[in-house]
Amino acid sequence: MGVTPVSRLASAAAAAEHPAQREGKGTDMAQRIGFIGLGMMGLPMARSLLARGFAVLACDTSAAARDALAEGAAPGAVDFAPDPVAVAAGAEVVVLMLPNSRIVATVMETLLPALRPGMLVIDMGSSEPGETRRFAELAAQRGAGFVDAPVSGSVAKAKTGTLAIMVGGDDAAFAKAEPVLRGMGEAIIRTGAVGSAHAMKALNNFVYAAGLLATAEALRMGEALGLDLGILTDVMNASSGRNIATETKARQEIIPRRYAGGFQLGLMRKDLETAGSIAESTGVASPSLQLCRALWTEAVELLGPKVDNTEIHRFLNER
């Protein structure tokens, strides 16, 4: 997601207030959403909230991200906070859109003491389910709610506010979260207790990775045989081999070597590691998952974490 490391959030302040920041001081807290993490996904998600009438109190160390959010915003719609404590002071609902559990932990350590009874934290990144449950318990000790609400749909759907959002949490927390989530997503799927959404997101992305790997290998074999790869893609999409990678990645990204599907290779590897931790904690044998973990780890080492996940195809070619 490209978020600047959040371990500096407590000491990094927005250097200059935007006009919207100065004018937004009187915004009703119930309509102002705290938003921490304006990265590749977070920025368009925060913009989607603005487009649906919410005010946003944002926190990110990237001046470019802050400028991008303020650009074109209605007067008073955008405010900026120097750290998570200031976000908690100015909003009843705080959204986290951060890259991993380690950064979530850094932010939560600062945020937890500032939580008030009735507040709600929504973790929309892809975190470790065990850590999610731990933070939910700590938030509850402060009288605050906590839900995990990871997303699916990449940057394109974040821009249009049509993400699929999985939500784990109790009824009261979900009721408070739902209007906010509908400001960013189209399909809202309740998954059960807190932590269940993060678990399901990791397992879903493992299945996607396995399909992408099989698709990339099939296209390489088809190319070696001299087959028409467009027709091969049509065959897979009309037959039992159809999956999200054959439908949205083969012709669009892999065959033309465009490799711009909108999800980083390193983030895919992180989700596979989360799925691996689930396999280990449950004792379920997962040989195909272990293969995917090994290949994605090798691909990240060769290509770097920030290239697109469809470059697993280029990795296989170079390997």
Side-chain angles (χ1 to χ4, degrees), residues 73-310:
V78 178
D79 200 352
F80 293 95
D83 52 49
V85 172
V87 175
E92 293 181 358
V93 176
V94 179
V95 172
L96 309 180
M97 192 58 189
L98 302 166
N100 54 52
S101 287
R102 178 182 59 80
I103 296 179
V104 170
T106 300
V107 170
M108 286 300 297
E109 287 170 5
T110 304
L111 186 62
L112 276 167
L115 295 181
R116 302 178 304 279
M119 287 186 66
L120 176 67
V121 178
I122 306 176
D123 182 1
M124 301 191 73
S126 299
S127 300
E128 290 278 353
E131 282 290 275
T132 299
R133 291 189 293 270
R134 183 172 73 87
F135 286 126
E137 292 173 1
L138 293 172
Q141 293 173 13
R142 305 283 303 178
F146 193 102
V147 300
D148 50 322
V151 304
S152 180
S154 76
V155 175
K157 290 196 173 183
K159 289 179 177 179
T160 57
T162 56
L163 292 164
I165 305 176
M166 297 144 270
V167 190
D170 62 32
D171 290 344
F174 175 76
K176 188 162 188 172
E178 185 178 16
V180 180
L181 299 177
R182 292 203 179 279
M184 297 175 280
E186 190 171 60
I188 310 297
I189 306 168
R190 292 196 69 180
T191 58
V194 67
S196 62
H198 279 150
M200 291 192 190
K201 169 67 182 294
L203 295 175
N204 171 78
N205 277 14
F206 154 52
V207 174
Y208 162 68
L212 177 59
L213 180 62
T215 299
E217 290 181 348
L219 291 172
R220 291 186 67 239
M221 288 185 280
E223 185 175 23
L225 284 172
L227 301 180
D228 185 312
L229 298 186
I231 295 176
L232 173 58
T233 300
D234 291 339
V235 168
M236 290 189 288
N237 284 334
S239 307
S240 57
R242 183 178 70 252
N243 61 59
I244 195 68
T246 64
E247 290 181 334
T248 67
K249 301 296 186 290
R251 190 186 298 276
Q252 299 88 334
E253 308 298 338
I254 296 175
I255 294 173
R257 297 335 196 237
R258 197 172 81 100
Y259 302 136
F263 187 58
Q264 292 179 359
L265 193 72
L267 296 178
M268 184 75 260
R269 191 267 302 271
K270 181 227 1 164
D271 287 341
L272 289 169
E273 291 301 313
T274 300
S277 70
I278 293 172
E280 291 159 9
S281 67
T282 58
V284 174
S286 53
S288 58
L289 170 58
Q290 300 314 317
L291 173 63
C292 285
R293 289 175 72 184
L295 286 173
W296 254 268
T297 297
E298 190 178 342
V300 167
E301 290 172 354
L302 179 66
L303 303 178
K306 294 189 179 299
V307 302
D308 192 73
N309 75 111
T310 54

Side-chain angles (χ1 to χ4, degrees), residues 24-73:
K25 300 298 183 182
T27 303
D28 180 4
M29 282 180 61
Q31 293 299 314
R32 181 192 288 133
I33 306 304
F35 204 105
I36 301 176
L38 300 175
M40 184 182 295
M41 289 290 288
L43 178 59
M45 289 165 64
R47 283 173 168 165
S48 181
L49 287 172
L50 291 173
R52 285 159 174 77
F54 290 95
V56 172
L57 174 60
C59 181
D60 196 286
T61 58
S62 168
R66 297 194 301 269
D67 290 343
L69 183 62
E71 184 177 359

